[in-house]
Amino acid sequence: MTSGRRAIVAVLVLVGIVTTSLLVIPSARHAYTTSNQSTVEEDDLSTLKQCPANIPLPASPPAPVNIWASLSVDETVAIDRWLSADERGLNLTSADVASLNDNIIFIIEAFRPPKAAAVAYLDAPSDKTLPKKFARVTIQHGGAVPEPYIMDYLVGPLPISKETQISPLTDIYHRDTVPFNARGYTGLPFGELQRIGYEILTPLKDAIKDLFGTHTLEVGASGPFGFDGSFRRMWITWKLSGPGNWLQPIGFYQYIDFSGSDESKYKVLKVVYNHQVFSSVDDFLGAYNNGTLKRQPQAVHDGMDDKWTTRERPGPQRDLDNLPGPRTVSFAGLRFRVDRARQYISWMGWGLYLGFDRDMGMSLWDVRFKNERILYELSPQEAIAQYAGNDPTQTTTAWLDRYFGMGGFTHDLLPGYDCPHEAVFLPATTHSSQGTIHRERAICIFEKETGRPITRHIGVDGRKFDYIFYLDGTIEVRLSASGYLQGAYWEPAQEGYGTRIRDIAMGSLHDHVINYKVDLDIAGADNSLLHTSTAQEQITEAWFDEDWGQTVVQQKIHRDYIANEDDAKLQYPSNVQGIYSIVNKQQTNSWGLPRGYAIHPGDSPIRNTVVGSKRLLNNANWARYNMAVSKRKDTELSSSNMFNFNLPGAPVVDFHKFFDGENLTQEDLVAWVNLGMHHLTQSEDAPNTRTQLATSSFYLAPANYFDADVSMESTNAVVLTESKIPGKLYDYNEYGVVQANCVPHRVPSFEYEDMQIRGLDGQAKLGPKTVDNLRNSENVFRYMKIEL
């Protein structure tokens, strides 16, 4: 019999702060000692050497240039200066001094090359085959006449030269321009919300103190802010100020109009308090003053406090909890290789490049196993969260997180908490109207001896993306969500829309669905979509005995190819009695079976529950399915766009338009696969959601791709055989791998600095001076402190 060490390597990117604790209790295992296995007694520890440093050996990328890498600071500064030159005629203003009526650069980032050009370079790397480099630039034309608008442009080739040109980038979208009312966060909308917040609350100062027991509140918002670009409106909600303000709403709402670029026209359309609707702040104040206002049954300050939403320990320390938890140690040194400059990683036959962008963070490119390309691209596309409730905020919220920039809001990972102390960290850089944000520890890579994926408890709002690689050629894509719930003011009328988690606080019912682009290339780019399922049959055979009857009921495999895109918007089969695979019908293994990779559902294989809401009408159609498969096109790069958030009725990218009846037989295919969870909130979600439950995953696993299990190649295994020596039960073979013993390095003191910021000119500048400043800059429309 044989036993192999179950090793994985995980690539992780995370938004948030975490603590970790995991106890694994396996079933009984046989223990044995061997004559050639050295035993280290306590009194021999002084003779051990220190463990090797966690410095990975250099990797050897298949091509010398990472063609999916982010732009450098120098490149973005050069592009900014070139675009701002008078000869371009764009009349640009620096975003840090601009008004809504100015033209500003919103985003500058790398535009990835066409796949054919990229593959040609990877297959024969040279200066001649290296694809030309381009940037995607988003400009908000606030000064345009007669109507302001937003446009994406292609700028290149890079570096800037006489050949560099700018042209509208429209072929990857389903509309040429983006309405100005769908615009993104530049620092200016934050000012809009702040000004409106003060205008709302200042005349209500005394009423606020009386009704809610405070003069300091925090304002949040619901979204989307529009339907088709014709308006920009939002419901804002107020919460007690302090840690975990998300969980402390006070039940006070305003509907505001901030359409267009003329701030003098912004106004409050409605005020709602205790299910009473007023057409203005003055009307609400009038009802308060004349005594006709129906007060909430319980005053906010009687039922809320600022401790239950924090990480303050609620009870005595548990037994032995004063000791630090176990940690991973590679006694013989790290077994993976890293090229930091090119952001390339290799491990046990695997190799891949990393990309990173403002919208969705990390992506994987040219993923190879045993020198064969398995994936051209694996990348998150969009994340939705759709809520329910009995108040203006919960009933109107359908977040699309790409709008806010999940990559731009990535935090530094914490050694020993997010990742093992010996993990290797890689940086990430994103560029926007605010300048350049650099995180030195945005990504971590580590190997862990475990048969199960890593789980963590995340302490602030965020999602954790794991990409886990196995020795047998399997890739696991795992997502864990955590943070504060989007809380609501609890009252009996909220029953059914969430769960009461405090005296007057509830966690709202909602769905999370996250979409991934999975561009598999199985023995080449020409692939087909295979559905393998089982069905029950009843058969009669001549050899059946009368003892059992003349028939047998059993199951049988059915294999069917899906040949048309229109039939490839898929749900996982009931009882998971089937699987979908991307296969190459022209390439078989030794047994005549088409080589392929199957897409297996893992934890929580869900799709969106609510279909038909105007707030997700056409901007997140991908969420209706467990997965969908389309013919790959360079004009269908992503299932979403950041501006989709505010355009559910007329999205920039309409996923359904990808499916226009094209052939799926031996074509370059893309699978769009969803993860997520139906979050039926519980008391234990306060103060933070637990990641072991808020986890979803899928697997990409070989399906007749090889002739047998290739993990058998690993020499980190032991084979036990019946011994021929009398009195000895087993002989063994460890394949020459000698176990190592060493003294681990000292665990360093905890330090945390997070981001480094450069201005639009590329020069270093100070970051947020306080945590409040940081929260303001990161939460965008979802957080703002107002002190009266």
Side-chain angles (χ1 to χ4, degrees), residues 107-128:
I107 292 176
I108 301 176
E109 66 182 16
F111 186 76
R112 279 137 186 173
K115 182 177 179 180
V119 170
Y121 170 69
L122 294 168
D123 291 347
S126 71
D127 291 342
K128 292 183 179 180

Side-chain angles (χ1 to χ4, degrees), residues 71-74 76-77 108 428-439 755-765:
L71 297 174
S72 68
V73 174
D74 290 343
T76 57
V77 170
I108 301 176
T429 302
T430 55
H431 313 275
S432 70
S433 61
Q434 304 303 296
T436 297
I437 304 296
H438 178 84
R439 267 91 177 191
M755 68 178 65
Q756 302 166 23
I757 302 177
R758 292 182 180 270
L760 301 172
D761 57 1
Q763 299 300 308
K765 70 176 186 178

Side-chain angles (χ1 to χ4, degrees), residues 403-513:
Y403 173 81
F404 300 98
M406 295 180 70
F409 292 148
T410 297
H411 281 267
D412 266 24
L413 296 157
L414 308 184
Y417 293 87
D418 293 323
C419 314
H421 281 98
E422 71 169 20
V424 172
F425 294 88
L426 294 179
T429 302
T430 55
H431 313 275
S432 70
S433 61
Q434 304 303 296
T436 297
I437 304 296
H438 178 84
R439 267 91 177 191
E440 189 62 23
R441 291 174 169 171
I443 301 164
C444 77
I445 305 104
F446 58 92
E447 182 180 19
K448 192 170 184 67
E449 185 186 16
T450 175
R452 294 187 58 81
I454 296 140
T455 59
R456 295 175 181 82
H457 302 277
I458 299 178
V460 297
D461 186 27
R463 293 186 178 90
K464 175 171 66 69
F465 297 94
D466 280 341
Y467 301 91
I468 304 172
F469 296 82
Y470 294 85
L471 292 170
D472 68 340
T474 295
I475 303 172
E476 180 182 0
V477 180
R478 174 168 287 263
L479 174 84
S480 298
S482 189
Y484 290 111
L485 297 170
Q486 179 170 301
Y489 182 84
W490 167 259
E491 57 179 340
Q494 292 277 28
E495 181 64 44
Y497 297 115
T499 301
R500 187 178 185 182
I501 59 175
R502 206 68 176 180
D503 292 341
I504 49 176
M506 66 171 278
S508 300
L509 170 68
H510 59 283
D511 278 356
H512 290 285
V513 188

